[in-house]
DNA sequence: ATGGTGGCATGGCCA
């Protein structure tokens, strides 16, 4: 089973890219982030014509998450973190082919010390507490999405720029990610690749992609129970080369 | 140091 995550930065704009990519990559499950659309406007018909069922939790302008699946039913759908009041649509969970899928669009945080940064850390703490229960209920768990955290120095183009005090790489953000790892969740890309320099997001500004000034912040975490089934992990850079791309590119995990 | 680009919405926020 091929499981993918992609922050599309507006599904309105990126729907043609998504459909083209579904056709070429043939993933079984796709978690989308930043759909930026209300549920009533979700293009489930166009996506169904490509062979995928979809569930979604969106809002106008900001945030928004969706899960697509082909062949298998999408069951036991849950939007948001239970018990954590949040107007922002950032979480969607569902069970597909016996695997619990948790799609997350983690808060960006803007700048270390800002109000949004505090919200990011509170949000990650709530996510941790919920996932602790979720993994007990569903040992076969995949948590994937835009984490807005680069796990370590290999995951940034320049560790001097992206340092302990920078947003996306600060000590507290990385500690929050380590707490998720401590639940028995593993960065599947790192299970299978040691080398650095493989990125999933490049700033639109300053020709970030052309100069490969990226960071790896889109992650697929797999639980202990799935560890032995992780047969391939990859980042597909191609959609980032297309005309008018998302600033993120898809990341994938193949379970054997 | 500041602002650079893109999306949404049409002035300013968010990333």
């Amino acid at each position: 089973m091929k499981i993918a995550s992609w922050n599309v930065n507006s599904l309105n704009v990126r729907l043609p890219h998504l459909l083209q990519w579904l056709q070429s990559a043939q993933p079984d499950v796709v978690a989308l982030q930043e759909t930026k659309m209300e549920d009533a406007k979700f293009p489930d018909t166009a996506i169904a014509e490509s062979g995928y069922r979809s569930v979604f939790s969106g809002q106008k302008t900001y945030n928004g998450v969706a899960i697509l699946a082909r062949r298998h039913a999408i069951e036991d759908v849950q939007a948001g973190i239970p018990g954590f009041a949040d107007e922002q649509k950032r979480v969607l969970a569902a069970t597909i082919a016996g695997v619990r899928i948790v799609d997350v669009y983690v808060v960006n945080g803007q700048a270390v010390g800002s109000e949004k940064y505090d919200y990011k850390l509170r949000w990650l703490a709530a996510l941790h507490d919920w996932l602790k229960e979720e993994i007990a209920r569903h040992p076969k768990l995949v948590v994937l999405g835009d984490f807005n955290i680069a796990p370590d120095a290999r995951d940034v183009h320049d560790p001097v720029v992206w340092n302990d005090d920078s947003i996306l790489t600060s000590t507290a953000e990385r500690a929050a990610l380590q707490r998720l790892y401590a639940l028995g969740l593993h960065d599947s890309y790192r299970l299978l690749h040691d080398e650095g320099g493989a990125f999933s997001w490049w700033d639109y500004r300053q020709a970030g992609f052309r100069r490969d000034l990226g960071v790896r912040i889109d992650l697929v975490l797999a639980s202990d129970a799935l560890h032995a089934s992780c047969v391939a992990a990859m980042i597909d850079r191609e959609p980032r080369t297309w005309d008018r791309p998302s600033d993120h590119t898809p990341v994938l995990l193949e379970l054997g």
Side-chain angles (χ1 to χ4, degrees):
Chain A
M1 183 160 75
K2 278 173 78 176
I3 302 174
S5 172
W6 194 4
N7 179 326
V8 292
N9 187 17
S10 169
L11 187 52
N12 266 329
V13 174
R14 235 65 69 186
L15 181 61
H17 283 194
L18 174 65
L19 298 179
Q20 183 178 339
W21 187 75
L22 292 175
Q23 188 80 349
S24 58
Q26 295 284 309
D28 296 292
V29 176
V30 185
L32 302 176
Q33 304 86 39
E34 286 208 88
T35 55
K36 298 187 176 180
M37 60 170 54
E38 293 170 303
D39 291 347
K41 298 190 174 176
F42 194 88
D44 51 345
T45 306
I47 289 169
E49 284 166 4
S50 293
Y52 288 81
R53 299 176 173 85
S54 51
V55 293
F56 32 89
S57 175
Q59 64 188 94
K60 201 190 293 188
T61 311
Y62 304 116
N63 311 308
V65 283
I67 298 174
L68 319 184
R70 63 169 186 175
R71 296 205 295 254
H72 305 287
I74 303 175
E75 302 174 297
D76 198 7
V77 178
Q78 159 81 49
I81 300 171
F84 183 76
D86 192 354
E87 310 252 312
Q88 305 190 14
K89 307 297 190 187
R90 298 180 171 278
V91 173
L92 191 61
T95 302
I96 299 167
V99 178
R100 189 66 172 164
I101 302 290
V102 180
D103 178 12
V104 297
Y105 174 45
V106 176
V107 177
N108 173 282
Q110 192 179 49
V112 174
S114 67
E115 281 185 24
K116 292 192 180 76
Y117 183 76
D118 291 341
Y119 166 49
K120 182 176 194 171
L121 297 180
R122 287 199 315 277
W123 193 96
L124 284 163
L127 178 69
H128 169 275
D129 293 352
W130 173 53
L131 289 178
K132 184 174 183 179
E133 301 169 12
E134 198 72 352
I135 201 168
R137 282 190 290 264
H138 306 280
K140 290 163 70 173
L141 182 71
V142 171
V143 186
L144 75 173
D146 177 358
F147 280 75
N148 271 314
I149 302 170
D152 67 50
R154 292 171 293 178
D155 301 310
V156 300
H157 67 89
D158 183 350
V160 175
V161 171
W162 298 98
N163 58 55
D164 291 351
D165 301 313
S166 309
I167 197 65
L168 312 186
T169 56
S170 72
T171 304
E173 289 167 87
R174 283 174 163 166
L177 184 59
Q178 292 292 327
R179 287 191 74 213
L180 300 185
Y181 293 172
L183 296 175
L185 295 167
H186 310 278
D187 175 359
S188 58
Y189 190 84
R190 276 288 162 245
L191 287 177
L192 296 157
H193 305 275
D194 286 326
E195 74 283 3
F199 308 131
S200 67
W201 173 82
W202 301 260
D203 203 311
Y204 286 124
R205 297 167 285 194
Q206 320 276 45
F209 183 66
R210 184 178 58 73
R211 301 160 67 201
D212 202 20
L213 305 181
V215 297
R216 190 173 68 91
I217 56 177
D218 298 272
L219 308 176
V220 185
L221 308 185
S223 64
D224 286 327
L226 294 171
H227 189 291
S229 307
C230 294
V231 296
M234 65 164 300
I235 301 174
D236 184 357
R237 292 169 64 102
E238 200 199 328
R240 190 63 174 79
T241 69
W242 294 344
D243 187 47
R244 209 179 172 195
S246 169
D247 45 354
H248 297 253
T249 212
V251 300
L252 298 102
L253 168 64
E254 185 172 349
L255 294 176

